[in-house]
Amino acid sequence: MGCFFSRRRKPAQGGPQQQAGAGQDAASGEQKAPQYSWDLRAKIDPKDYTFSGLKNETVGRLPGKVAGQQFVIQDCENCKIYIFDHSATITIDDCVNCQIFLGPIKGSVFFRDCKDCKCVVACQQFRTRDCRKLEVFLCCATQPIIESSTGMKFGCFQYYYPELALQFKDAGLSIFNNTWSNIHDFTPVSGENNWGLLPETAVIQDYVPLPSSEELKAVRISTDATKSIIPVTRGRRQKNSDESCLAVFFAGDYTTANARKLIDEMTSKGFQLVQTKEVLMKAEDAHRVFQQSALEFIPLLEKGPVIALEFNGDGAVEQCQSTVNEVFSGTKVFVSESKASASQDVDNFYNFADMQMGM
């Protein structure tokens, strides 16, 4: 085959400048190499996305420095590691006694052969293999999986810095889809329990302290649960009351803000947020979940996903109805109509949501 550039070109039209623009340098008359879009991309150095073989160090990446790339952490000991950005996937191998913060991960995070580590993690998929004594404050969109791992402890992700909300969006993660306590043990041992939940009173800074290096101090962090990007939920901890209430917000300009407002109102009155979900619904789903109220809400489902909240506590239904009427009088919200129907409302919605999300 002949060379691509060996083909004879037609004479260029116009004067010398136009002729030069057709592929020659006007001054030298030399042929220019063509430029392609991939030539203009920034060159990626894998070293910028790897922490390897570190001991007794504090290291990290500031917001904007990872920008959706893959990251590797391996063979680190007694280190404090902070990734304050979103990433594609992260693998953590053979790390011992490390404290790790990982910002939103679009795909999976995989811990292998790690022990005695404390972590704060937000991801689409979470998995461990051959790990021992990991304590993890987790936000995970799908069911977390542990394999050949022991002494695992889990709590709900709670963290804030100004860039974090946009990073969740860039990673394609909803702040309302968090199955942190719904752990699947791929290799259970009869008579033993390889995982459990961290105490409700656990203080995140006692596990993963704020960074001490001057560079990383620039990130304005809060570990106050009330400021957390992710609503802090009870998950599968035992409920304090037999009474729960389901509240569902429909897509609109202020759906997220309204949901957060109701959470603040209810929790400030002593009710507990059990779980949250953000999911698309169809008309047939509405009949299953909203039953006799379905026709009222079906037109709203075309606007986008709904956000559902479960509150628990004696009087939760009455208080939720009262709050919605007072604070959200101009907003369409589904709230359980009675204490008698509330448990069924909760079950109907979350069974549907789990099926939609493949859990």
Side-chain angles (χ1 to χ4, degrees):
M1 293 178 61
C3 174
F4 177 83
F5 296 107
S6 67
R7 295 175 61 188
R8 179 174 295 179
R9 298 178 181 270
K10 293 182 180 180
Q13 301 297 318
Q17 288 184 343
Q18 288 178 303
Q19 294 178 20
Q24 290 185 343
D25 184 283
S28 65
E30 293 179 357
Q31 189 78 23
K32 280 187 177 180
Q35 274 196 322
Y36 300 102
S37 59
W38 53 83
D39 292 327
L40 303 177
R41 295 175 185 169
K43 302 300 182 184
I44 294 176
D45 187 346
K47 292 180 181 178
D48 293 334
Y49 305 96
T50 303
F51 291 136
S52 180
L54 305 179
K55 288 190 177 182
N56 306 308
E57 294 191 41
T58 296
V59 294
R61 291 290 183 265
L62 292 171
K65 296 299 184 182
V66 179
Q69 297 295 326
Q70 298 180 12
F71 211 97
V72 174
I73 302 170
Q74 59 189 14
D75 301 311
C76 294
E77 185 175 350
N78 301 324
C79 288
K80 295 179 175 65
I81 299 170
Y82 305 87
I83 307 296
F84 292 125
D85 206 357
H86 69 103
S87 56
T89 61
I90 295 184
T91 56
I92 302 98
D93 294 328
D94 299 290
C95 289
V96 178
N97 195 34
C98 290
Q99 296 161 317
I100 301 171
F101 174 87
L102 303 177
I105 303 162
K106 186 173 185 177
S108 64
V109 59
F110 199 176
F111 288 81
R112 296 176 294 199
D113 299 289
C114 296
K115 63 181 180 180
D116 298 315
C117 291
K118 297 175 173 62
C119 312
V120 181
V121 178
C123 59
Q124 175 73 21
Q125 299 175 327
F126 177 91
R127 188 169 180 179
T128 71
R129 189 174 68 204
D130 298 317
C131 292
R132 180 168 62 85
K133 291 185 65 178
L134 266 59
E135 296 171 316
V136 185
F137 290 87
L138 179 63
C139 173
C140 187
T142 57
Q143 186 175 30
I145 294 174
I146 64 172
E147 180 182 356
S148 302
S149 299
T150 61
M152 311 292 289
K153 299 287 185 182
F154 294 91
C156 183
F157 181 104
Q158 42 195 283
Y159 219 80
Y160 169 84
Y161 52 86
E163 299 86 354
L164 190 53
L166 182 58
Q167 291 172 5
F168 266 88
K169 184 177 180 180
D170 288 340
L173 300 178
S174 168
I175 63 172
F176 295 104
N177 289 335
N178 184 10
T179 63
W180 67 270
S181 63
N182 187 20
I183 311 299
H184 175 66
D185 188 350
F186 198 72
T187 51
V189 178
S190 179
E192 298 182 17
N193 193 357
N194 293 321
W195 66 275
L197 302 182
L198 291 168
E200 284 189 77
T201 55
V203 177
I204 201 165
Q205 284 180 242
D206 293 342
Y207 293 78
V208 181
L210 301 186
S212 57
S213 70
E214 290 302 319
E215 178 190 25
L216 298 176
K217 281 182 180 179
V219 182
R220 292 178 291 154
I221 301 165
S222 173
T223 57
D224 183 344
T226 63
K227 296 181 179 179
S228 176
I229 289 294
I230 299 297
V232 179
T233 57
R234 288 183 61 78
R236 297 206 165 190
R237 291 191 177 101
Q238 185 174 355
K239 297 177 181 178
N240 290 343
S241 169
D242 293 332
E243 182 176 349
S244 283
C245 180
L246 177 70
V248 180
F249 287 88
F250 299 89
D253 293 337
Y254 306 105
T255 309
T256 297
N258 287 340
R260 297 303 298 253
K261 177 66 174 175
L262 183 59
I263 291 170
D264 291 343
E265 292 284 338
M266 291 293 287
T267 54
S268 70
K269 294 177 173 62
F271 296 96
Q272 294 180 321
L273 181 64
V274 177
Q275 57 181 328
T276 65
K277 276 286 192 296
E278 182 172 12
V279 66
L280 287 166
M281 296 184 71
K282 299 178 182 178
E284 56 267 31
D285 304 321
H287 286 290
R288 188 190 327 169
V289 174
F290 305 129
Q291 299 180 23
Q292 65 268 25
S293 302
L295 292 178
E296 177 185 358
F297 297 121
I298 284 175
L300 302 175
L301 302 179
E302 297 177 358
K303 297 181 179 181
V306 303
I307 295 174
L309 314 172
E310 179 190 350
F311 297 101
N312 181 259
D314 294 340
V317 173
E318 182 180 355
Q319 184 59 59
C320 195
Q321 291 173 340
S322 174
T323 302
V324 166
N325 291 335
E326 292 174 7
V327 180
F328 306 100
S329 57
T331 303
K332 283 282 188 182
V333 187
F334 171 85
V335 181
S336 298
E337 293 184 356
S338 66
K339 179 179 176 180
S341 66
S343 294
Q344 189 61 53
D345 291 338
V346 170
D347 289 343
N348 286 344
F349 183 87
Y350 286 103
N351 288 338
F352 145 75
D354 288 344
M355 288 177 61
Q356 288 291 98
M357 301 178 73
M359 287 183 285

Short mmCIF file of all heavy atoms in Angstrom, two decimals, residues 9 13 34 38 52 57 72 102 110 112 151 161 182 191 203 212 215 222 235 266 310-311 322 351:
data_model
loop_
_atom_site.label_atom_id
_atom_site.label_comp_id
_atom_site.label_asym_id
_atom_site.label_seq_id
_atom_site.Cartn_x
_atom_site.Cartn_y
_atom_site.Cartn_z
N ARG A 9 -1.81 15.82 -4.61
CA ARG A 9 -2.82 16.79 -4.24
C ARG A 9 -3.14 17.67 -5.43
O ARG A 9 -2.30 17.97 -6.26
CB ARG A 9 -2.33 17.68 -3.07
CG ARG A 9 -2.05 16.90 -1.80
CD ARG A 9 -1.53 17.83 -0.73
NE ARG A 9 -1.22 17.10 0.50
CZ ARG A 9 -2.10 16.89 1.47
NH1 ARG A 9 -3.34 17.33 1.34
NH2 ARG A 9 -1.76 16.23 2.55
N GLN A 13 -6.05 26.56 -4.82
CA GLN A 13 -6.56 27.77 -5.45
C GLN A 13 -6.13 28.99 -4.66
O GLN A 13 -5.97 28.94 -3.44
CB GLN A 13 -8.10 27.70 -5.50
CG GLN A 13 -8.62 26.48 -6.26
CD GLN A 13 -8.23 26.52 -7.71
OE1 GLN A 13 -8.28 27.57 -8.35
NE2 GLN A 13 -7.80 25.38 -8.23
N PRO A 34 -0.45 16.72 9.89
CA PRO A 34 -1.84 17.02 10.28
C PRO A 34 -2.02 16.88 11.79
O PRO A 34 -1.32 16.09 12.43
CB PRO A 34 -2.65 15.96 9.53
CG PRO A 34 -1.70 14.83 9.33
CD PRO A 34 -0.35 15.46 9.13
N TRP A 38 -6.98 13.83 19.19
CA TRP A 38 -6.31 13.12 20.29
C TRP A 38 -4.90 13.63 20.56
O TRP A 38 -4.34 13.40 21.62
CB TRP A 38 -6.30 11.61 20.02
CG TRP A 38 -5.74 11.21 18.68
CD1 TRP A 38 -4.44 11.05 18.33
CD2 TRP A 38 -6.50 10.92 17.50
NE1 TRP A 38 -4.32 10.68 17.02
CE2 TRP A 38 -5.57 10.58 16.47
CE3 TRP A 38 -7.85 10.91 17.22
CZ2 TRP A 38 -5.96 10.25 15.19
CZ3 TRP A 38 -8.25 10.57 15.95
CH2 TRP A 38 -7.32 10.25 14.93
N SER A 52 1.55 4.51 45.97
CA SER A 52 2.11 3.17 46.08
C SER A 52 3.32 3.16 47.00
O SER A 52 4.19 4.05 46.93
CB SER A 52 2.52 2.66 44.69
OG SER A 52 3.06 1.35 44.77
N GLU A 57 2.80 8.52 55.88
CA GLU A 57 2.66 9.77 55.13
C GLU A 57 1.20 10.22 55.10
O GLU A 57 0.28 9.41 55.22
CB GLU A 57 3.17 9.61 53.70
CG GLU A 57 4.68 9.38 53.59
CD GLU A 57 5.17 9.51 52.15
OE1 GLU A 57 4.69 10.44 51.46
OE2 GLU A 57 6.01 8.70 51.75
N VAL A 72 -5.35 4.23 41.78
CA VAL A 72 -4.82 3.02 42.41
C VAL A 72 -4.11 3.38 43.70
O VAL A 72 -3.28 4.31 43.73
CB VAL A 72 -3.83 2.29 41.47
CG1 VAL A 72 -3.18 1.11 42.19
CG2 VAL A 72 -4.53 1.82 40.20
N LEU A 102 -12.41 8.68 50.27
CA LEU A 102 -12.57 8.58 48.83
C LEU A 102 -13.83 9.33 48.41
O LEU A 102 -14.94 8.96 48.80
CB LEU A 102 -12.67 7.13 48.38
CG LEU A 102 -11.50 6.20 48.76
CD1 LEU A 102 -11.78 4.78 48.30
CD2 LEU A 102 -10.19 6.71 48.17
N PHE A 110 -12.72 -1.34 45.11
CA PHE A 110 -12.42 -2.74 45.44
C PHE A 110 -11.24 -2.77 46.40
O PHE A 110 -10.13 -2.37 46.05
CB PHE A 110 -12.09 -3.50 44.16
CG PHE A 110 -12.20 -5.00 44.26
CD1 PHE A 110 -12.02 -5.79 43.14
CD2 PHE A 110 -12.48 -5.64 45.46
CE1 PHE A 110 -12.12 -7.18 43.20
CE2 PHE A 110 -12.59 -7.02 45.55
CZ PHE A 110 -12.41 -7.79 44.41
N ARG A 112 -8.69 -5.09 48.46
CA ARG A 112 -8.17 -6.45 48.45
C ARG A 112 -6.97 -6.56 49.39
O ARG A 112 -6.08 -5.73 49.37
CB ARG A 112 -7.75 -6.86 47.03
CG ARG A 112 -8.91 -6.89 46.04
CD ARG A 112 -8.48 -7.19 44.63
NE ARG A 112 -7.65 -6.12 44.04
CZ ARG A 112 -7.45 -5.96 42.75
NH1 ARG A 112 -8.00 -6.80 41.89
NH2 ARG A 112 -6.69 -4.98 42.30
N GLY A 151 -14.43 -9.22 60.38
CA GLY A 151 -14.29 -8.04 61.23
C GLY A 151 -14.65 -6.74 60.54
O GLY A 151 -14.10 -5.69 60.86
N TYR A 161 -17.95 19.07 51.92
CA TYR A 161 -17.10 20.19 51.52
C TYR A 161 -17.77 20.80 50.28
O TYR A 161 -18.59 20.16 49.62
CB TYR A 161 -15.64 19.78 51.28
CG TYR A 161 -15.39 18.63 50.34
CD1 TYR A 161 -15.29 18.81 48.96
CD2 TYR A 161 -15.21 17.34 50.84
CE1 TYR A 161 -15.03 17.76 48.10
CE2 TYR A 161 -14.96 16.27 49.98
CZ TYR A 161 -14.87 16.49 48.62
OH TYR A 161 -14.62 15.44 47.77
N ASN A 182 -26.97 -2.66 53.85
CA ASN A 182 -27.56 -3.87 53.25
C ASN A 182 -26.45 -4.76 52.68
O ASN A 182 -26.37 -5.00 51.48
CB ASN A 182 -28.56 -3.45 52.16
CG ASN A 182 -29.33 -4.63 51.59
OD1 ASN A 182 -29.43 -5.68 52.22
ND2 ASN A 182 -29.86 -4.46 50.40
N GLY A 191 -22.49 -20.00 61.77
CA GLY A 191 -22.27 -19.69 63.18
C GLY A 191 -21.43 -18.46 63.43
O GLY A 191 -21.19 -18.10 64.59
N VAL A 203 -18.22 8.86 65.92
CA VAL A 203 -17.83 10.19 65.42
C VAL A 203 -16.82 9.99 64.30
O VAL A 203 -15.75 9.40 64.51
CB VAL A 203 -17.22 11.05 66.54
CG1 VAL A 203 -16.77 12.41 66.00
CG2 VAL A 203 -18.24 11.23 67.67
N SER A 212 -4.05 17.00 57.99
CA SER A 212 -3.20 17.93 58.73
C SER A 212 -2.22 18.68 57.83
O SER A 212 -1.62 19.66 58.26
CB SER A 212 -2.41 17.16 59.80
OG SER A 212 -1.66 16.11 59.21
N GLU A 215 -1.50 21.74 52.39
CA GLU A 215 -2.17 21.70 51.09
C GLU A 215 -3.61 21.23 51.22
O GLU A 215 -4.54 21.84 50.68
CB GLU A 215 -1.42 20.77 50.13
CG GLU A 215 -2.09 20.64 48.76
CD GLU A 215 -1.49 19.54 47.90
OE1 GLU A 215 -0.91 18.59 48.46
OE2 GLU A 215 -1.62 19.64 46.66
N SER A 222 -16.56 19.63 56.65
CA SER A 222 -17.35 19.48 57.86
C SER A 222 -17.78 18.03 57.98
O SER A 222 -18.23 17.43 56.99
CB SER A 222 -18.58 20.39 57.84
OG SER A 222 -19.41 20.09 58.97
N GLY A 235 -30.69 2.98 58.28
CA GLY A 235 -30.45 1.75 57.54
C GLY A 235 -31.14 0.58 58.21
O GLY A 235 -32.31 0.65 58.60
N MET A 266 -38.41 16.95 60.24
CA MET A 266 -38.80 15.75 60.98
C MET A 266 -37.74 15.32 61.99
O MET A 266 -38.06 14.95 63.12
CB MET A 266 -39.09 14.62 59.99
CG MET A 266 -40.34 14.82 59.15
SD MET A 266 -41.87 14.75 60.12
CE MET A 266 -41.98 12.99 60.47
N GLU A 310 -38.41 7.54 54.30
CA GLU A 310 -39.11 6.81 55.37
C GLU A 310 -38.68 7.36 56.71
O GLU A 310 -37.49 7.37 57.05
CB GLU A 310 -38.80 5.31 55.32
CG GLU A 310 -39.51 4.54 56.45
CD GLU A 310 -39.05 3.10 56.60
OE1 GLU A 310 -38.31 2.61 55.73
OE2 GLU A 310 -39.44 2.47 57.62
N PHE A 311 -39.69 7.81 57.49
CA PHE A 311 -39.44 8.30 58.85
C PHE A 311 -40.05 7.32 59.84
O PHE A 311 -41.08 6.69 59.57
CB PHE A 311 -40.08 9.68 59.05
CG PHE A 311 -39.49 10.75 58.17
CD1 PHE A 311 -40.15 11.17 57.03
CD2 PHE A 311 -38.27 11.33 58.49
CE1 PHE A 311 -39.62 12.15 56.20
CE2 PHE A 311 -37.73 12.32 57.67
CZ PHE A 311 -38.40 12.72 56.53
N SER A 322 -48.75 16.86 58.94
CA SER A 322 -48.85 18.24 59.42
C SER A 322 -47.76 19.11 58.84
O SER A 322 -47.99 20.24 58.38
CB SER A 322 -48.78 18.25 60.95
OG SER A 322 -48.74 19.57 61.44
N ASN A 351 -39.92 -2.17 48.07
CA ASN A 351 -39.83 -3.41 47.29
C ASN A 351 -39.75 -3.10 45.80
O ASN A 351 -38.97 -3.70 45.06
CB ASN A 351 -41.03 -4.31 47.59
CG ASN A 351 -40.97 -4.94 48.96
OD1 ASN A 351 -39.90 -5.05 49.55
ND2 ASN A 351 -42.12 -5.37 49.48
#
